[in-house]
Amino acid sequence: MNILLVYPLYPDSFWSFKHALKFISKKAAVPPLGLITVSAMLPGEWNKKLVDLNISELEAKDILWADYVFISAMHIQRQSVSNIISECVKLGTKIVAGGPLFTQEHHNYPQIDHFVLNESEITLPLFLADLANGHPAKVYKTDQFADLSHTPRPDYHLLEMKKYFFMNIQVSRGCPFSCDFCEITSLLGHKVRMKKPHQIIHDLEELYRLGWRGPVSIVDDNFIGNKKEIKYQLLPQMRQWMQQHNYPFVFNIQSSINVADDHELMSLMVETGITSTFIGIETPDETSLHTCNKLQNKGRNLLQSIKTIQKTGLTVSGGFIVGFDSDTPSVFQRQIDFIQKSGIVSAMVGLLNAPRHTQLYKRLEAEKRLTKETSGNNTDLSMNFIPKMDYHQLLDGYKKIIAAIYTTKPYYKRVRQLFLNYNHTYKQHQRINLSLIVAFLKSMYIIGIIDKGRIEFWKLLAWTLFKKPALLTEAITFAVYGYHFRTVYGLNPG
């Protein structure tokens, strides 16, 4: 059996880092972890090939070679999914689809032959058994959650590693919290299910064996969802492995804000090689936090929590939202002030949307305020419901936030704020190579000479050399990120 695994194109957006990747000659930020995990669940004697449209083209000969094309996708990849389906239908190759998009909207894709939905550890074996018997069904789904101790190591060998900036691993699924706008618990449940520590070590060993050195993203929606297991079992073993291998990786995670309450845990993270975390801040407004059930953020000094995390040696990226029913026009300036004071350089600000199967979606549906399905892209200025605030006022306020935090002067000011908060302690053993030299030269030319915001760029470098010389690499990295963000948002530097 010949299986072609196809990952759809990810459009230009905040998290695509498309314009930053050009500086380091990479094609995509992260590989399709879900697809290469599914690949590892298929019979070992089958022939498997991966085409990630973010790094290469899908050719007709690839589709014709395959007995089945497997697709996994998120909502933001809808357009590319439609193109892939059209090509497969035209060439007569059957399609098997799974992942978040199809789990929630498989009824919108009648052209697809088979749906393997929810968690593949449960539904894929059912499909494979029926396929072997010659009678595969149209839809396989389950309301059960998988035991991750049986999840195989992903087929990392299928990847063209040199074309990605990050590799990625998964430690757990599920989240103990219940934010009403979040679809994670509807897809993966409240109970945090974890792989065994030895599985994670095996993943790291495989990446190391294949020659990967550098950033590794831990894709869990909340890395500390099962804090006890993480703190006392996994991290000590990861730390030991990293020490034994001379610290070949740096990790980033997603976590909830309560990580700030455990200094011992944060120190252990830094010692293990975790250098950054993404946290859903959402809003500084307590009423909105209560309305959306963001209980973990309520009743705490959010700014102080962020600074505590930064002082431990972790940089913080953050998610922010406007468009809650309780938002008033004052929220826009409050968001700007908070972001600038926090030193959160990568601040993903989005308009509120209601993904299908969330509590927010159900409420808005009952109130007859839904207008369409969410696009999945939090930088395309879209909403899928009628907000309480006048939409044009909301959109203008949103644009005000973006301009106020991503034009060059306030952006570089925020980088300096981070450096004042940040205690840089982790030292990765990284050799200078040609790609890093080329990236440095490109940044000097594009951002330092061509870009209209070049004066602020040179001010940042001068300030860093004088005040925080150990952070010069980080200063250049954040300058490249800023170039990407300004390009995505269509801002004129200045």
Side-chain angles (χ1 to χ4, degrees):
M1 188 78 76
N2 295 332
I3 303 298
L4 181 66
L5 302 126
V6 180
Y7 194 57
L9 188 66
Y10 199 94
D12 191 15
S13 68
F14 187 96
W15 289 123
S16 72
F17 284 107
K18 174 182 175 181
H19 307 285
L21 292 169
K22 293 176 181 177
F23 286 84
I24 52 174
S25 302
K26 302 291 185 182
K27 293 287 188 179
V30 294
L33 184 63
L35 267 183
I36 60 174
T37 302
V38 167
S39 172
M41 299 177 193
L42 300 176
E45 66 272 16
W46 287 9
N47 301 310
K48 294 171 281 189
K49 179 179 180 181
L50 172 69
V51 175
D52 180 354
L53 294 184
N54 298 282
I55 66 169
S56 59
E57 300 289 332
L58 178 61
E59 299 182 12
K61 64 180 182 181
D62 295 322
I63 298 174
L64 291 170
W65 166 83
D67 295 300
Y68 285 92
V69 170
F70 279 51
I71 308 175
S72 178
M74 297 181 289
H75 295 81
I76 196 172
Q77 297 167 299
R78 273 196 190 95
Q79 183 56 56
S80 183
V81 164
S82 297
N83 296 338
I84 294 165
I85 292 172
S86 296
E87 286 299 305
C88 292
V89 170
K90 184 170 68 176
L91 296 172
T93 301
K94 291 184 177 180
I95 307 170
V96 180
L101 172 64
F102 302 108
T103 292
Q104 295 184 317
E105 298 184 25
H106 68 274
H107 55 279
N108 290 335
Y109 296 93
Q111 317 95 310
I112 289 177
D113 300 275
H114 308 286
F115 293 98
V116 179
L117 307 178
N118 306 109
E119 298 194 51
S120 295
E121 290 90 345
I122 297 173
T123 52
L124 185 61
L126 303 176
F127 168 71
L128 294 176
D130 287 351
L131 183 64
N133 293 327
H135 301 287
K138 178 82 171 180
V139 180
Y140 295 84
K141 58 183 178 179
T142 179
D143 58 3
Q144 302 298 306
F145 296 113
D147 179 352
L148 300 192
S149 67
H150 301 306
T151 302
R153 184 178 64 202
D155 278 343
Y156 289 112
H157 65 274
L158 294 178
L159 302 174
E160 294 183 73
M161 283 187 164
K162 291 183 179 179
K163 295 186 177 181
Y164 296 96
F165 181 55
F166 289 94
M167 285 294 107
N168 46 18
I169 63 173
Q170 185 176 60
V171 170
S172 67
R173 296 180 199 158
C175 180
F177 300 113
S178 303
C179 308
D180 79 340
F181 55 82
C182 182
E183 60 190 335
I184 296 305
T185 52
S186 67
L187 290 169
L188 302 175
H190 286 289
K191 183 180 179 181
V192 178
R193 295 160 289 128
M194 294 189 63
K195 292 181 179 178
K196 300 297 183 184
H198 71 83
Q199 291 174 277
I200 305 307
I201 299 301
H202 288 167
D203 286 355
L204 300 181
E205 287 280 4
E206 179 69 358
L207 290 173
Y208 186 86
R209 185 188 70 81
L210 291 170
W212 182 257
R213 303 292 184 271
V216 175
S217 179
I218 300 177
V219 302
D220 305 22
D221 297 290
N222 189 355
F223 180 68
I224 63 165
N226 185 338
K227 192 173 78 167
K228 183 177 178 181
E229 187 74 17
I230 291 291
K231 183 175 179 179
Y232 296 109
Q233 297 297 324
L234 178 61
L235 284 177
Q237 293 188 44
M238 285 180 64
R239 177 177 62 180
Q240 182 181 21
W241 186 91
M242 288 284 284
Q243 290 170 341
Q244 292 171 346
H245 292 78
N246 201 27
Y247 299 94
F249 307 137
V250 289
F251 301 101
N252 67 43
I253 62 169
Q254 300 178 74
S255 71
S256 42
I257 191 72
N258 57 309
V259 70
D261 303 334
D262 193 329
H263 183 82
E264 185 182 4
L265 173 61
M266 291 189 291
S267 297
L268 182 56
M269 287 178 174
V270 173
E271 292 168 9
T272 304
I274 297 172
T275 60
S276 64
T277 180
F278 176 87
I279 297 175
I281 307 297
E282 319 315 352
T283 176
D285 186 85
E286 280 280 326
T287 303
S288 294
L289 290 174
H290 176 77
T291 301
C292 72
N293 204 40
K294 191 84 178 184
L295 302 181
Q296 62 272 34
N297 287 26
K298 287 182 61 183
R300 67 162 64 233
N301 186 326
L302 291 170
L303 269 178
Q304 188 56 53
S305 294
I306 292 163
K307 290 182 179 181
T308 299
I309 297 168
Q310 292 165 336
K311 286 177 181 177
T312 309
L314 296 165
T315 62
V316 177
S317 301
F320 298 86
I321 296 173
V322 291
F324 293 111
D325 283 357
S326 55
D327 278 349
T328 66
S330 67
V331 74
F332 307 118
Q333 190 59 49
R334 290 183 66 190
Q335 290 277 27
I336 293 166
D337 293 342
F338 183 94
I339 291 167
Q340 288 300 110
K341 291 175 183 176
S342 71
I344 294 178
V345 177
S346 298
M348 181 191 71
V349 186
L351 292 166
L352 183 63
N353 274 269
R356 183 178 284 271
H357 302 310
T358 61
Q359 291 302 311
L360 177 61
Y361 188 98
K362 292 174 183 176
R363 176 170 68 81
L364 294 172
E365 185 176 40
E367 296 173 4
K368 301 188 184 306
R369 292 168 60 192
L370 290 172
T371 56
K372 58 183 177 180
E373 296 296 334
T374 177
S375 71
N377 185 345
N378 47 30
T379 57
D380 67 0
L381 304 179
S382 69
M383 298 183 77
N384 71 329
F385 70 94
I386 301 168
K388 285 287 182 72
M389 189 186 299
D390 176 77
Y391 173 72
H392 297 290
Q393 186 178 27
L394 180 56
L395 196 61
D396 287 344
Y398 173 75
K399 291 177 180 177
K400 175 186 173 183
I401 295 174
I402 298 303
I405 66 174
Y406 281 120
T407 46
T408 50
K409 191 169 184 176
Y411 178 79
Y412 288 128
K413 182 179 180 181
R414 194 161 71 255
V415 174
R416 290 192 290 272
Q417 182 62 57
L418 167 64
F419 289 174
L420 290 172
N421 299 345
Y422 179 48
N423 181 20
H424 180 63
T425 57
Y426 180 72
K427 307 289 185 184
Q428 185 196 9
H429 292 239
Q430 186 177 43
R431 292 176 296 179
I432 298 297
N433 56 43
L434 182 60
S435 65
L436 288 176
I437 295 171
V438 170
F440 173 77
L441 294 175
K442 281 183 179 178
S443 65
M444 293 300 106
Y445 177 67
I446 295 174
I447 305 175
I449 297 175
I450 295 178
D451 195 81
K452 291 180 181 178
R454 56 189 174 272
I455 294 175
E456 295 299 328
F457 169 72
W458 290 113
K459 284 181 180 179
L460 173 68
L461 294 194
W463 183 93
T464 305
L465 283 169
F466 182 71
K467 298 275 190 179
K468 298 279 184 176
L471 298 177
L472 184 61
T473 299
E474 283 77 7
I476 295 171
T477 300
F478 284 128
V480 171
Y481 288 177
Y483 178 85
H484 165 75
F485 296 141
R486 291 195 302 277
T487 307
V488 165
Y489 287 118
L491 297 173
N492 292 317

